[in-house]
Amino acid sequence: MSLKRYAIPSSSALTAFESVARLNGVGRAAAALNTSQSAVSRHLKQLEETLGTPLFAKAGRGIALTEAGKGYFAAVAPALDAIHKAGRTLRLPDKHVIIACTHEVSHMIVMPRFAELRTALGQAVQVRILTCEYDLVPEMVDAGADITFEFSQGPFNAALVPVLAEAIIPVAAPGFAQTQRRVLGGSVSRWGDLPFLALTKNNVGWATWADWFSARSAGPPPVPTERFDNYVYLLEAAASGAGLALGWRGFVDRYLDAGTLVTVGDEWLVRSNQLSARLTGKGLANAAARKCLAFLAGPNAIQVQRQKCV
């Protein structure tokens, strides 16, 4: 079998040609390539000498592609793009996973299992977490995110992978809960005088104290005595004995396991909302991202089935 040889100009010459043709100017191409105009012009001259035909001609104060140049550009541009994409496919997906989510999801859902996640993906894979406010999560796609988290209400898009079904229950510090049980007994209708903690920001369709009191037929919800911008801060305040917090399954588990918070009541209220995750276009082509999402969703999906609906 004969060895196939390719008569291909240097990658520097091809890149310079593609940039000048696409940006319509040597100066703009030089700026985009972070090099000098003389270097770009030298690459173009060498390329034309190698091919034996002019690729550009003067046009007014600038230059324009010749007919030969137009045909060559039509072949070179998609070829360079294909080589670039092939390199990214080989290099990035197996080594990087970028997760975009809120601070609450990062702190309470992802980070508690981070060591297990790294083991599942392998030490060669680097995991990066981008945190932001919920309404900015979609913008993280442009920042290169492979996986994004979102709060979803049914009917659910097939692209969404359920991570946690929404289940809520009041929680409080152990000492606070014991004191209030002695004073109020089990009567929910007498809870109106207790200190209640809530979030200042919009719940994006997730449960509020109004939803919980409505489900228990306990009358109108009380006015929160304190509000917090962040759910992590709210739970920390509850753990310090500041009042009752609305606990979400999955988010509050570490506090319950550690005993710094206890449930006030016996049953969780399960609603139709869920915390979901999805692969971005970049993530779909990333084998490590697909494996990461399966890891994050699997155990929690099983846990949801054990919850009891009020």
Side-chain angles (χ1 to χ4, degrees):
M1 181 181 295
S2 62
L3 180 63
K4 188 173 184 179
R5 295 182 181 275
Y6 295 94
I8 299 176
S10 71
S11 60
S12 297
L14 292 175
T15 301
F17 166 72
E18 187 276 339
S19 297
V20 173
R22 175 169 49 85
L23 299 174
N24 195 31
V26 173
R28 285 188 285 272
L33 296 172
N34 195 28
T35 189
S36 65
Q37 293 188 39
S38 61
V40 172
S41 297
R42 185 170 61 254
H43 285 309
L44 293 181
K45 182 178 179 181
Q46 292 173 348
L47 182 60
E48 289 179 329
E49 289 176 351
T50 298
L51 297 175
T53 185
L55 299 174
F56 293 94
K58 288 186 177 181
R61 295 184 178 181
I63 59 175
L65 286 167
T66 62
E67 288 303 313
K70 292 177 182 178
Y72 196 58
F73 178 74
V76 168
L80 289 177
D81 187 56
I83 293 171
H84 172 72
K85 289 181 178 178
R88 287 196 62 179
T89 300
L90 292 175
R91 183 171 61 254
L92 289 179
D94 291 332
K95 295 184 179 180
H96 295 80
V97 176
I98 300 177
I99 300 171
C101 58
T102 63
H103 177 67
E104 291 89 340
V105 171
S106 171
H107 185 75
M108 299 175 174
I109 302 299
V110 180
M111 291 310 299
R113 306 179 62 204
F114 191 76
E116 298 175 61
L117 174 61
R118 290 299 307 276
T119 299
L121 295 180
Q123 292 303 311
V125 176
Q126 297 296 314
V127 179
R128 181 183 177 194
I129 302 174
L130 303 178
T131 60
C132 61
E133 289 298 318
Y134 176 74
D135 57 352
L136 295 179
V137 169
E139 303 301 324
M140 294 298 101
V141 175
D142 292 334
D146 295 292
I147 298 171
T148 60
F149 281 83
E150 60 187 78
F151 303 119
S152 310
Q153 296 174 286
F156 302 113
N157 188 304
L160 294 175
V161 176
V163 176
L164 286 172
E166 184 186 30
I168 57 172
I169 195 169
V171 295
F176 179 94
Q178 291 173 6
T179 299
Q180 301 309 323
R181 285 193 187 103
R182 286 197 300 268
V183 174
L184 302 178
S187 175
V188 176
S189 61
R190 299 178 60 193
W191 284 24
D193 295 331
L194 298 180
F196 282 78
L197 312 180
L199 290 169
T200 57
K201 56 188 177 183
N202 192 315
N203 274 30
V204 200
W206 282 62
T208 64
W209 279 116
D211 297 310
W212 191 82
F213 271 79
S214 175
R216 300 298 298 266
S217 300
V223 176
T225 53
E226 288 192 70
R227 292 182 179 272
F228 299 84
D229 293 331
N230 187 291
Y231 189 55
V232 177
Y233 301 155
L234 187 154
L235 290 183
E236 288 294 328
S240 72
L244 281 167
L246 199 58
W248 275 273
R249 173 74 83 181
F251 289 88
V252 76
D253 288 1
R254 278 201 299 167
Y255 291 86
L256 297 179
D257 292 341
T260 53
L261 288 175
V262 296
T263 59
V264 182
D266 301 321
E267 295 180 307
W268 294 75
L269 169 63
V270 179
R271 294 179 10 115
S272 60
N273 300 341
Q274 66 183 30
L275 173 66
S276 303
R278 72 163 76 228
L279 292 167
T280 65
K282 177 173 172 283
L284 286 169
N286 186 339
R290 296 196 300 270
K291 188 174 182 180
C292 176
L293 183 57
F295 174 86
L296 291 172
N300 291 323
I302 295 172
Q303 186 182 62
V304 167
Q305 296 174 8
R306 302 196 189 112
Q307 296 170 357
K308 191 173 183 180
C309 183
V310 176

